Amino acid sequence: MMRIEVVANHSVEENILESLKAEGVAKFYTKYPSVFGVGSTGPRMGDAIWPEENFALVMWCEEDEARGIARAVSRVKEHFPDEGIKVFGLPPEPSPLV
């Protein structure tokens, strides 16, 4: 199994969830509703200076589903290239630690 993380601006959250559903992937995920950080599109800190916030989805899936997640997110990124949409994947792990 692989760990896939999607981090994006709140402004595209519904678009990403709809695209994942249309692709038939990521039926199970953990959502972090507010995440802060600095990426290539600038700070997202949720404060008076940098008011925007991101959200994050974390999914564990097989490699085929991971490719589907990447396709779904890429479609949204094509429509919103400046919104700070990223997909990260970690290689398969042999087994859980706990």
Side-chain angles (χ1 to χ4, degrees):
M1 294 195 73
M2 296 183 65
R3 179 184 168 115
I4 304 298
E5 296 182 11
V6 176
V7 180
N9 192 295
H10 272 294
S11 65
V12 296
E13 182 175 347
E14 287 303 315
N15 302 85
I16 288 175
L17 292 173
E18 289 173 6
S19 187
L20 291 169
K21 186 175 181 179
E23 184 74 28
V25 294
K27 295 176 182 145
F28 307 105
Y29 57 83
T30 298
K31 177 181 164 187
Y32 297 96
S34 294
V35 294
F36 309 119
V38 180
S40 60
T41 58
R44 305 284 195 269
M45 298 296 184
D47 60 18
I49 298 169
W50 293 292
E52 294 186 65
E53 294 183 6
N54 286 336
F55 74 99
L57 300 176
V58 177
M59 297 146 281
W60 285 92
C61 61
E62 299 300 330
E63 289 184 52
D64 287 343
E65 185 174 5
R67 285 190 285 278
I69 291 167
R71 282 192 303 272
V73 175
S74 290
R75 282 195 298 273
V76 176
K77 190 172 178 125
E78 286 175 12
H79 287 91
F80 304 99
D82 299 322
E83 290 302 319
I85 303 167
K86 303 289 186 219
V87 178
F88 302 95
L90 296 175
E93 291 293 321
S95 64
L97 296 175
V98 179

